[in-house]
Amino acid sequence: MPDQSISRRRLLGTAGATGIALGAAGGAAGYAVASSGSGEGSGGTAAAPLTSLGSEEVMFHGKHQPGITTPMQGHGHLIAFDLVAGAGRKEAAALLRRWSATAERLMAGEAAASDDTDVARDAGPSSLTVTFGFGSTFFSRTGLEKQRPVALDPLPDFSSDHIDQARSNGDLWVQIGANDALVAFHALRAVQTEARGVARVRWQMNGFNRSPGATARPMTARNLMGQIDGTNNPKPTDDDFDQRIFVPTSGDPSWMAGGSYAVVRRIRMLLDDWEKLSQKDQENVIGRRKSDGAPLTGGTETTEPKLEQTDADGNLVIPINAHARITRPDQNGGAAMLRRPFSFHDGFDADGVPDAGLLFICWQADPLRGFVPVQRKLDRGDALSPFIRHESSGLFAVPGGAAKGEYVGQRLLEA
Amino acid sequence: MPDQSISRRRLLGTAGATGIALGAAGGAAGYAVASSGSGEGSGGTAAAPLTSLGSEEVMFHGKHQPGITTPMQGHGHLIAFDLVAGAGRKEAAALLRRWSATAERLMAGEAAASDDTDVARDAGPSSLTVTFGFGSTFFSRTGLEKQRPVALDPLPDFSSDHIDQARSNGDLWVQIGANDALVAFHALRAVQTEARGVARVRWQMNGFNRSPGATARPMTARNLMGQIDGTNNPKPTDDDFDQRIFVPTSGDPSWMAGGSYAVVRRIRMLLDDWEKLSQKDQENVIGRRKSDGAPLTGGTETTEPKLEQTDADGNLVIPINAHARITRPDQNGGAAMLRRPFSFHDGFDADGVPDAGLLFICWQADPLRGFVPVQRKLDRGDALSPFIRHESSGLFAVPGGAAKGEYVGQRLLEA
């Protein structure tokens, strides 16, 4: 990441990998006002200082788009669009230019250039990220078939899929994350209104993660099954991290250099069934302890599982169909994907069954080497399968980050 | 509030009014583990310290239930239940006893007594509150007609209502708030599963507010219209606050002493229409500046509006139908209610129109003197009416807080 953040104070330790900065007191967080004694808070939100939750700023420009290696945020919105009839490459280019300019402003904690709704007013950037992607159908609709990556070929069907096409795929996809709900909604609404006349909403989903500061334990996130989820994620410090997650400069197509492919699955959790299991049975399904995520063969969350270890009766301690066994990268030809999900909860149905689960989002340089082989194995024999249902699916080409003066997707749309 | 929090460090300045304490390092926040260097965070949530966001604890026991004067939290769930056929007073009493015990544990940052889902594991209390109320229909179903408060008589119809009865009222109502999404969901799920066999979910709604620390300005919350909302809320320091918000010891019925009545309205905001207005037109609808909530006649958010002031043309500066004029307590016979809402956003409809707005919750000692007269005036001539739609309505009797060893509603159910 180049020199665009010279004037900003870096957040020690994570800035290099994630492009995060703290808004300088001098006004980097332009939309948030300075603390003052005026106003009154009783009955409203209490008089809280602008903490790192509010002041953290993620850089818009860079080699990669934000929202991929950025630490998971408390609030997320996913929204997919289809181009309207009559809108083609030119209109899409203008839209991506508008979207990029707005994303840059909002991520810096500033208002949109015009017609801002004021919903995020007074707030800091709150780690807002806005990430843009293209679905397979985008290319035919814009006359760019020749630029369509082979990696966007449709995912194979999996036997456990219950896919609702209306909530799947789409010409354009935007991922929004922030640590404040109003900052996130403000960005969502800006993205939507700027698409008017060019693209209509195809589907939209809301998600959440733990708030920063809610736990003292520097551990991987928990999901709504109560499981620690993401232990084996590749780390930006891994030697082969970039190679596995991002398309190389020499990649094909060239406009995807520095980009990544996102697989998005709305995975409903059948919590009523899951919670009927004893803790021991749940742990056998996963192959890890629920309390701390350590393998059933002992140690801590980061200890390597002893996959061959047997108990006194000669049975595998980590069952043959345990989720953690099946998804281990070294069991999948080195396939690796960066999982960066949000949980979701959209209420209860008439029988009181929660419509809740995981907005699974994984990132990889090549979905055919990342998501597909793992999902194929899971599809055949994962002990977790009876407790989840894949309800929607999306696959998007997420181009590299925009350089200064450039907009996201420009290398595709103005090639 | 008595001596139940002797062992806890008080949060300076707000503890008296709100019953908030910071979990002591020695283990008050029992469910959160101490900070440690083990584990790994990359790709998951970053290694964040347990800040005041996570460690703040609201007291369960007290004169009033929590969640009324508690500062607004970032996440909220509302859930209403109907008793199932065959469940009466005895089963309801057992349920309230279970619910109270669980609320006390979870609010202290502990796991539920049995079958905990582990979803909140590792997190601090995160200002969790759980608040219980009774709807009008509860009393006939439990043979307690004579204990039914007159204040639970149905609200009058308002001409602007578009009420969905399936999402309105209910025998039992629970409000959950927390500053962490998983802590809030964990409590919601515990409340729901403990009701099994006794009460079924009638409706459930999710909401949010700004995260603590996202803004430096000690000001009232903003809503999804971008307006500062709640300026004229009564303050716990007002001489007549308790009198207006809580049922007195001498009140009728006696089991409601220390209690309050909650009016709950799902108010859809017609954001597409609202956002078409210029900022000036929006400000004339409200009668206040959008930027800082000051009256159009000048000053700051807390300055008294000059309702009679006219401009050079002789027109009222604050229009005759401005929302802030109509809702002013001194224009409504001193009626006062404590508004403590959550915003909501449940996605977009097929036309891309957001299903978003305000989960309006207001608290008062007497709804016929609080909510009803104000809503009646708004119904006749509020400039804001064309931009909102009341889609559901609930009215609940929320008893006083449980003393140590007591459960919420015991004075009703064991009278």
Side-chain angles (χ1 to χ4, degrees):
Chain A
M1 225 154 299
D3 60 354
Q4 69 269 33
S5 55
I6 278 176
S7 68
R8 309 195 191 276
R9 189 153 50 93
R10 291 288 193 147
L11 181 66
L12 195 70
T14 56
T18 62
I20 286 187
L22 285 172
Y31 210 22
V33 298
S35 183
S36 90
S38 71
E40 42 111 37
S42 75
T45 46
L50 183 67
T51 65
S52 62
L53 184 147
S55 59
E56 269 180 26
E57 177 182 347
V58 184
M59 300 294 105
F60 174 72
H61 293 293
K63 185 175 175 190
H64 312 299
Q65 286 196 62
I68 303 173
T69 58
T70 309
M72 285 160 61
Q73 300 116 322
H75 300 269
H77 298 298
L78 309 182
I79 184 166
F81 296 88
D82 285 333
L83 294 172
V84 300
R89 176 174 173 173
K90 187 179 142 203
E91 291 76 15
L95 175 59
L96 267 294
R97 185 186 289 276
R98 279 200 300 280
W99 272 352
S100 295
T102 296
E104 182 177 3
R105 291 184 63 91
L106 301 191
M107 285 175 56
E110 297 165 8
S114 64
D115 294 331
D116 191 273
T117 61
D118 287 322
V119 168
R121 193 155 182 152
D122 319 311
S126 305
S127 300
L128 175 69
T129 58
V130 186
T131 316
F132 304 99
F134 301 105
S136 180
T137 49
F138 178 82
F139 299 85
S140 52
R141 296 211 173 129
T142 51
L144 290 162
E145 294 91 341
K146 287 187 180 159
Q147 297 294 332
R148 196 184 71 83
V150 175
L152 284 188
D153 283 353
L155 296 174
D157 293 331
F158 301 103
S159 64
S160 59
D161 285 356
H162 294 70
I163 303 294
D164 175 4
Q165 292 302 335
R167 290 198 287 184
S168 296
N169 292 309
D171 294 347
L172 292 158
W173 176 71
V174 186
Q175 172 194 261
I176 292 163
N179 280 322
D180 179 75
L182 278 85
V183 167
F185 180 83
H186 177 249
L188 175 68
R189 184 72 176 152
V191 162
Q192 185 209 4
T193 56
E194 288 178 357
R196 276 191 190 133
V198 178
R200 61 169 190 80
V201 178
R202 179 180 172 88
W203 55 261
Q204 196 271 313
M205 298 173 190
N206 303 323
F208 56 86
N209 284 305
R210 178 139 288 165
S211 298
T215 175
R217 187 159 185 165
M219 74 194 320
T220 318
R222 280 187 197 272
N223 61 33
L224 297 189
M225 286 177 160
Q227 295 288 349
I228 293 177
D229 192 345
T231 298
N232 265 323
N233 250 345
K235 297 157 205 43
T237 49
D238 293 346
D239 285 346
D240 56 358
F241 181 83
D242 276 12
Q243 177 191 328
R244 290 176 172 209
I245 307 306
F246 295 113
V247 177
T249 310
S250 60
D252 183 39
S254 60
W255 66 266
M256 271 296 285
S260 186
Y261 292 91
V263 173
V264 181
R265 313 276 284 190
R266 186 184 199 267
I267 304 180
R268 174 87 168 258
M269 293 173 170
L270 308 181
L271 294 179
D272 283 342
D273 297 332
W274 173 252
E275 292 169 7
K276 274 182 204 141
L277 298 188
S278 68
Q279 180 176 306
K280 183 165 172 15
D281 286 343
Q282 291 180 349
E283 291 180 336
N284 280 331
V285 165
I286 303 297
R288 291 182 173 275
R289 286 204 300 255
K290 220 176 166 193
S291 58
D292 60 2
L296 294 183
T297 47
T300 68
E301 188 192 341
T302 51
T303 304
E304 285 296 309
K306 296 176 180 148
L307 296 176
E308 308 309 323
Q309 188 171 308
T310 51
D311 62 19
D313 299 328
N315 298 313
L316 286 167
V317 175
I318 297 175
I320 194 72
N321 61 350
H323 184 74
R325 177 189 293 270
I326 295 178
T327 54
R328 275 180 53 76
D330 61 8
Q331 304 285 305
N332 290 287
M337 51 193 180
L338 176 67
R339 285 163 289 152
R340 190 179 182 280
F342 295 92
S343 291
F344 74 87
H345 169 233
D346 292 333
F348 295 92
D349 72 13
D351 297 320
V353 177
D355 184 9
L358 197 70
L359 300 180
F360 173 96
I361 305 168
C362 76
W363 299 90
Q364 58 261 297
D366 180 357
L368 286 177
R369 284 176 40 80
F371 175 76
V372 170
V374 177
Q375 184 58 25
R376 196 167 267 148
K377 282 191 78 169
L378 289 173
D379 202 37
R380 281 200 291 264
D382 177 21
L384 188 59
S385 287
F387 304 99
I388 59 174
R389 187 189 293 150
H390 288 234
E391 297 189 329
S392 81
S393 180
L395 173 59
F396 303 99
V398 173
K404 281 254 172 186
E406 198 190 29
Y407 63 86
V408 174
Q410 183 165 351
R411 283 163 255 169
L412 166 67
L413 292 159
E414 300 187 11
Chain B
M1 224 153 301
D3 59 354
Q4 69 269 34
S5 54
I6 277 175
S7 68
R8 308 196 190 276
R9 190 153 50 93
R10 294 287 194 147
L11 182 65
L12 196 69
T14 56
T18 62
I20 285 187
L22 284 173
Y31 210 20
V33 298
S35 184
S36 90
S38 71
E40 41 111 38
S42 76
T45 47
L50 183 67
T51 65
S52 62
L53 184 146
S55 59
E56 268 179 27
E57 177 183 347
V58 184
M59 298 294 104
F60 173 72
H61 292 294
K63 186 176 175 189
H64 312 300
Q65 285 195 63
I68 303 174
T69 58
T70 310
M72 285 159 63
Q73 299 116 324
H75 300 269
H77 297 299
L78 308 182
I79 184 165
F81 296 88
D82 286 333
L83 293 173
V84 301
R89 177 174 171 173
K90 186 179 142 202
E91 292 76 15
L95 176 57
L96 267 295
R97 185 185 291 277
R98 279 201 299 280
W99 272 352
S100 295
T102 296
E104 181 175 4
R105 291 184 64 90
L106 300 191
M107 285 174 56
E110 296 164 9
S114 66
D115 293 332
D116 193 273
T117 61
D118 286 323
V119 169
R121 192 155 182 150
D122 318 312
S126 306
S127 300
L128 175 68
T129 58
V130 186
T131 316
F132 303 99
F134 300 104
S136 179
T137 49
F138 179 81
F139 298 86
S140 51
R141 297 211 172 131
T142 50
L144 289 163
E145 294 91 341
K146 288 187 178 159
Q147 297 294 332
R148 197 184 70 83
V150 175
L152 284 188
D153 283 352
L155 297 174
D157 293 333
F158 300 104
S159 64
S160 58
D161 284 356
H162 294 70
I163 303 296
D164 175 2
Q165 292 302 335
R167 290 199 286 184
S168 297
N169 292 309
D171 293 346
L172 292 159
W173 176 70
V174 186
Q175 171 193 262
I176 292 163
N179 280 323
D180 179 75
L182 278 84
V183 167
F185 180 83
H186 177 249
L188 175 68
R189 185 71 176 152
V191 161
Q192 186 210 1
T193 55
E194 289 179 356
R196 274 189 192 135
V198 179
R200 60 169 193 79
V201 178
R202 179 180 171 89
W203 56 260
Q204 196 271 315
M205 300 174 188
N206 302 324
F208 56 85
N209 284 304
R210 178 140 287 164
S211 297
T215 174
R217 188 159 185 164
M219 74 195 319
T220 318
R222 281 187 195 273
N223 61 34
L224 296 188
M225 286 178 158
Q227 295 288 349
I228 293 177
D229 192 346
T231 297
N232 266 323
N233 250 347
K235 296 157 207 42
T237 49
D238 294 347
D239 284 345
D240 56 358
F241 180 83
D242 275 11
Q243 176 191 328
R244 290 175 172 208
I245 307 306
F246 295 113
V247 177
T249 309
S250 59
D252 181 39
S254 59
W255 65 267
M256 272 294 286
S260 186
Y261 293 92
V263 174
V264 181
R265 314 275 285 190
R266 186 184 199 268
I267 304 181
R268 174 87 169 260
M269 292 174 170
L270 309 179
L271 294 178
D272 283 342
D273 298 331
W274 173 253
E275 292 169 7
K276 275 182 202 140
L277 298 187
S278 68
Q279 180 176 307
K280 184 166 171 14
D281 286 343
Q282 290 181 348
E283 291 181 336
N284 281 331
V285 164
I286 302 297
R288 292 183 172 275
R289 286 202 302 253
K290 219 174 165 195
S291 58
D292 60 1
L296 296 182
T297 47
T300 68
E301 187 191 342
T302 50
T303 304
E304 285 296 309
K306 295 176 179 146
L307 295 175
E308 307 309 321
Q309 188 172 309
T310 52
D311 63 17
D313 299 327
N315 298 314
L316 286 166
V317 174
I318 296 175
I320 194 73
N321 60 351
H323 185 73
R325 177 190 292 272
I326 294 177
T327 54
R328 273 178 55 76
D330 61 8
Q331 305 283 304
N332 290 288
M337 51 195 182
L338 176 67
R339 284 164 289 151
R340 190 177 181 283
F342 295 91
S343 290
F344 74 87
H345 170 232
D346 292 333
F348 296 91
D349 71 14
D351 296 320
V353 177
D355 184 9
L358 197 69
L359 300 180
F360 173 95
I361 305 167
C362 75
W363 299 90
Q364 58 261 297
D366 180 358
L368 287 177
R369 283 175 42 80
F371 175 76
V372 170
V374 176
Q375 184 57 24
R376 198 167 264 149
K377 283 192 77 169
L378 290 173
D379 201 39
R380 282 201 290 266
D382 176 21
L384 188 60
S385 287
F387 304 99
I388 60 175
R389 188 190 290 151
H390 288 234
E391 296 189 329
S392 81
S393 180
L395 173 58
F396 303 99
V398 173
K404 281 254 172 185
E406 197 191 28
Y407 63 87
V408 174
Q410 184 165 349
R411 282 164 257 169
L412 166 67
L413 291 160
E414 300 186 13

